[in-house]
Structures are given as C-alpha cells and as structure tokens.
Amino acid sequence: MLHPILRILFGLLFITSAVLKLFPLDYFELILVQQVGIGWSMVPWLARAIILFEFFIGTSIVFGFKTKLNLQASLAMLVFFSTYIITQVLLGNGEEDCGCFGELIPMDGPTSLAKNGVMFVFGLYLLWKLEELKKWSVGIVSPILFILAIPALLIALPIPTIEPDEDFQLDYELLSPYFLENSKESNQQIYVIMYAKCHHCEKLASLISKMDPSEVNDRLRLVILGGEDKVEAFVEKTGIQAFPFARSGERALVAAINGTFPALALVENEEVVSKWTGKEINIVLLSDLLDL
C-alpha cells in the first residue's frame, strides 16, 4: 500500500502547484512577463497552458494514467524549471518569487530549487518502484478531469480581450487618473510605478521614505500594483505613507512597462518625455530628477 500512497501524494503536489497559480492568475502571468520575457498578448494563453499541463500530469499520476510516461514528464518539467531558476539566481535575481506555488506560498530561487530537488528524487524513486504503483489506479478519470478542466478554467478566468493592433503606451492618460484629486499640479511630475511583491521596488521605496516630502513639492507620485492587503503591507513596511501614492490593478499599466518593475516616467505638460525601467532606476536618478 505504501507505494500507491506515495504515487498519489506526488501527483497531488503537481495538482496543488497548478491550483495555487490561480490565486491570483494575474500574479503568475506577471512573473512570466517580468522574469521570462513572454509577450503580453501571449502570456494569458501560456499561463493557462502551463496550469492545465501541470494539472494533467498531477491527475494522471494520482489516478495511474500512463504512470511511467507522466512520471517522466514530471521529471522533465522539474529539470526545465530548475534550469531556469538557476539562470535567474546566477543573474542576481534569486530573491524574486518564482511563482511555483502562486502568491499564497511565495518561494525565492534557492528555496524553489531545494523543493524541486526533493521532488526530483521523489519522482526517481517512484519510477524505480514503477511495478508497485499500479494499485488503486483508475486511469480513465484523469483524461475526463482534464477535458472538464479546460472549459472550467476558461469560463472562470477567460482570456482577456486584446485587440491585435492595441498599443499599450505609458502616457499621461494612463497615469493621471490615479491622482485626479490632487489639486497641487505642477508642470512636471515624476511617476514611480512599483509592484508590492518586488524586492527591488521595496528597496527603492525604503530609500524614497527617507526623503523630505516638503522638498519634493508634490512632484513625486507613487503607483503601487497589487492587491489591497499587499499594497497596505508594502506601504507600512517601506514607510512611504507621507508621499502621494495610489493602488492599481490595471492590466494596461503593467503591459505598458512590459511587466518590468520598478518603472519611472517623467511627465512634463501632460506628456511623458522620458521613462526608465528595472535596474536603470535608483535613488540617485530620482534625486536628480527631483533636483534634491
């Protein structure tokens, strides 16, 4: 009985990984855009395909459908994602959440590699004991669940409608609605766009909090993307309450900066005249733009 139980537990890990990526799916899509470089028009399809593939592998292993083939596929998937995570670590992005278990269970690169290593050994052991895994197999259940999962996912989380010629531009029209109530308009504003789960954004925000708000003269505006609770935690942790900030969940805004955080836009006379993203942005650049 031991090995069929282990088979089911191994499959449940893949099912759990697939399901947790849905909470929220936007978070997983953002990781694919930001870290992998997938185009914004393709990422909704790829994110759902990965989730369905993981779900199929998991249910196939749980119910004993083509067990050998799906165990091999699970190991190949672990090797593929581990190779990618190693690349991210070597590039200095090991602190970023890999998105393996969605936003609910964040994991940095080293933690995710350790998890994948344990799962890989687990999977190899099951392949070794393949003949002892067949008990409690009801293989037909997996294809049925997979077929049902496709429309269920697309109905619950439909593919966003994006026009083929739609051009996401980081312009004043996209930025200005967040601060319409702000009466002290100057001819020049600096918008800093950050993500509440981004380590680089957190470091930048912590440095911004040390500035004197009176010297900024209402020129600095902070737009923070993420769920309401995540943004509140971000503001509290970094101490930027004294500066004008707004929360956003706007998909078009993320697309306009290609999912690269932080982003900075210099606006003069209601026109974006310069913009920076990612590692181009630091507190020295921001201080220079603010004439501090």
Side-chain angles (χ1 to χ4, degrees):
M1 293 174 62
L2 173 64
H3 293 100
I5 290 173
L6 291 177
R7 183 200 78 214
I8 292 170
L9 290 175
F10 187 70
L12 286 174
L13 287 173
F14 280 86
I15 295 173
T16 301
S17 175
V19 171
L20 287 179
K21 286 182 175 68
L22 300 173
F23 299 99
L25 181 55
D26 285 351
Y27 179 69
F28 182 52
E29 290 180 357
L30 179 58
I31 286 176
L32 292 176
V33 171
Q34 183 181 13
Q35 298 184 21
V36 186
I38 304 300
W40 194 252
S41 60
M42 286 298 299
V43 76
W45 297 93
L46 180 62
R48 287 159 179 78
I50 291 173
I51 289 169
L52 287 169
F53 183 60
E54 253 188 322
F55 180 77
F56 178 71
I57 287 178
T59 55
S60 296
I61 294 172
V62 165
F63 292 103
F65 176 73
K66 304 285 186 183
T67 307
K68 181 179 179 180
L69 179 62
N70 282 291
L71 281 173
Q72 291 172 336
S74 70
L75 295 180
M77 194 175 199
L78 288 170
V79 169
F80 176 80
F81 284 114
S82 295
T83 302
Y84 164 72
I85 293 169
I86 289 171
T87 303
Q88 289 294 100
V89 171
L90 293 176
L91 290 174
N93 298 321
E95 292 181 341
E96 299 293 337
D97 182 13
C98 67
C100 301
F101 284 112
E103 191 177 35
L104 295 178
I105 307 178
M107 286 188 179
D108 59 16
T111 304
S112 182
L113 278 176
K115 180 265 296 179
N116 286 357
V118 172
M119 289 184 67
F120 189 82
V121 173
F122 193 176
L124 281 179
Y125 177 77
L126 292 177
L127 269 178
W128 180 42
K129 296 292 184 179
L130 188 63
E131 291 303 312
E132 301 176 34
L133 304 180
K134 295 180 180 178
K135 192 173 182 180
W136 302 340
S137 294
V138 192
I140 191 63
V141 174
S142 176
I144 292 173
L145 288 177
F146 177 67
I147 291 170
L148 293 174
I150 296 173
L153 177 61
L154 295 179
I155 291 170
L157 295 165
I159 301 291
T161 302
I162 300 176
E163 298 298 329
D165 59 347
E166 191 164 358
D167 185 19
F168 293 110
Q169 292 290 333
L170 186 61
D171 52 23
Y172 183 73
E173 184 179 355
L174 189 60
L175 293 168
S176 59
Y178 298 106
F179 298 95
L180 283 177
E181 296 179 2
N182 197 318
S183 59
K184 280 184 64 180
E185 286 288 349
S186 61
N187 290 330
Q188 184 187 78
Q189 300 94 38
I190 296 166
Y191 288 81
V192 179
I193 306 161
M194 297 180 284
Y195 181 51
K197 298 284 289 183
C198 165
H199 291 283
H200 302 297
C201 299
E202 185 178 303
K203 292 175 183 176
L204 179 64
S206 296
L207 293 172
I208 290 173
S209 70
K210 295 177 171 49
M211 293 179 171
D212 185 347
S214 63
E215 294 183 1
V216 173
N217 293 325
D218 194 46
R219 291 172 56 205
L220 179 64
R221 284 90 188 279
L222 309 176
V223 181
I224 308 166
L225 285 100
E228 188 172 345
D229 56 336
K230 297 293 188 297
V231 171
E232 287 179 1
F234 180 88
V235 171
E236 182 69 27
K237 184 175 182 179
T238 58
I240 55 173
Q241 299 92 332
F243 297 87
F245 72 89
R247 187 188 75 83
S248 173
E250 180 61 49
R251 190 180 187 88
L253 184 57
V254 182
I257 60 173
N258 202 28
T260 305
F261 295 95
L264 189 153
L266 177 62
V267 176
E268 291 183 356
N269 299 318
E270 301 187 358
E271 180 181 353
V272 175
V273 294
S274 296
K275 59 184 177 182
W276 299 262
T277 57
K279 294 181 180 179
E280 300 173 337
I281 302 170
N282 53 52
I283 197 65
V284 175
L285 170 66
L286 191 55
S287 297
D288 287 344
L289 292 174
L290 290 166
D291 300 321
L292 298 180

